[in-house]
Amino acid sequence: MLRSFASAFLMYSRIPMPKVEWKEENRRYALCFFPLIGAVIGVFFCLWYMACSILQLNELMKGAVAMMIPIAVTGGIHLDGFCDVSDARASWGDREKKLGIMKDSRIGAFAAIKLCLYLILQTAVFSQISSRKTVLLCGLCFILSRTLSGLAAVTFKAAKSEGTLQSFVKPSHRKITMTVLIILAVLIISAMTVISPLCGVSGVMASLLVFMYYRHIAYKEFGGTTGDIAGWFLQLEELTVPLAIVLTEQIKEVCL
């Protein structure tokens, strides 16, 4: 279990961990620990907003640093997948061509454009956060996104038999992994609805819609999921869900 924990953090974060041997038994439960990386991000996210409140920093500074926190913790591994999928989808090629484009380590023009737009919009969304409840809801989003990503990894069809994602999926104990992730998803969703029924439900609905969209795109355009597509989904989650929460909060304030 400890080796699986370390394997998950070594692969999907830049948090220092003891080195473990790269073998299948050391990754059997790694996906169970994947959401804990989101918890680390969520803690730093909430602490940053507490610091902003104390120091009375402006909204742009608040949003810009908040946007950088997930990148600093993960090293940008999921943004890399977002860029690869953006380039692949922009090619309008067939399935094989898209999968081939995602293997290319170079970034294309379409990915660069979408990356800039993504980071600008995410900064704007995080700059709009004004209440403690909204901060907490957005912090929980980082856990929920990784919980759903882990569930998709062990339940969705794979586009390729090899790859980074499959190196974690194939050796995983699927029954235990699914059970842990489903329980965690239920707990996070319940917590979000309790913290703020209206904004929490809005965020949960947005999350589930993005999850269904992820499955649709993965199956239709790529024949299944890959590590890059999983990263693309995670980035969409971490933009769409906070956006839904923030917009719902603003609408509620205007109406009331």
Side-chain angles (χ1 to χ4, degrees), residues 53-121:
S53 178
I54 295 169
L55 299 174
Q56 298 184 347
L57 299 177
N58 63 48
E59 284 74 14
L60 181 58
M61 175 66 77
K62 184 193 303 181
V65 175
M67 176 271 293
M68 293 170 61
I69 289 172
I71 302 174
V73 173
T74 65
I77 185 172
H78 306 299
L79 271 178
D80 177 68
F82 175 84
C83 291
D84 288 340
V85 173
S86 296
D87 272 334
R89 296 191 69 204
S91 72
W92 296 99
D94 58 21
R95 183 176 300 172
E96 293 304 318
K97 182 178 180 180
K98 289 177 180 177
L99 291 173
I101 289 173
M102 289 197 295
K103 292 180 182 178
D104 194 336
S105 59
R106 295 170 296 178
I107 186 172
F110 291 103
I113 292 168
K114 290 185 178 181
L115 177 61
C116 290
L117 294 175
Y118 179 95
L119 296 177
I120 291 169
L121 182 55

Side-chain angles (χ1 to χ4, degrees), residues 132-145:
R132 292 181 180 178
K133 287 185 177 181
T134 308
V135 172
L136 188 53
L137 286 174
C138 291
L140 289 173
C141 290
F142 297 109
I143 309 174
L144 183 59
S145 63

Side-chain angles (χ1 to χ4, degrees), residues 30-40 142-144 146-147 181 184:
L31 290 174
C32 296
F33 296 107
F34 185 37
L36 290 183
I37 300 169
V40 173
F142 297 109
I143 309 174
L144 183 59
R146 283 161 178 78
T147 303
L181 293 177
L184 185 56

Side-chain angles (χ1 to χ4, degrees), residues 22 27 40 43 47 64 75 89 91 99 116 121 143 145 156 160-161 202 206 250:
W22 186 255
R27 302 191 298 274
V40 173
V43 168
L47 288 175
R89 296 191 69 204
S91 72
L99 291 173
C116 290
L121 182 55
I143 309 174
S145 63
F156 286 7
K160 302 185 296 183
S161 59
S202 175
Q250 290 300 115

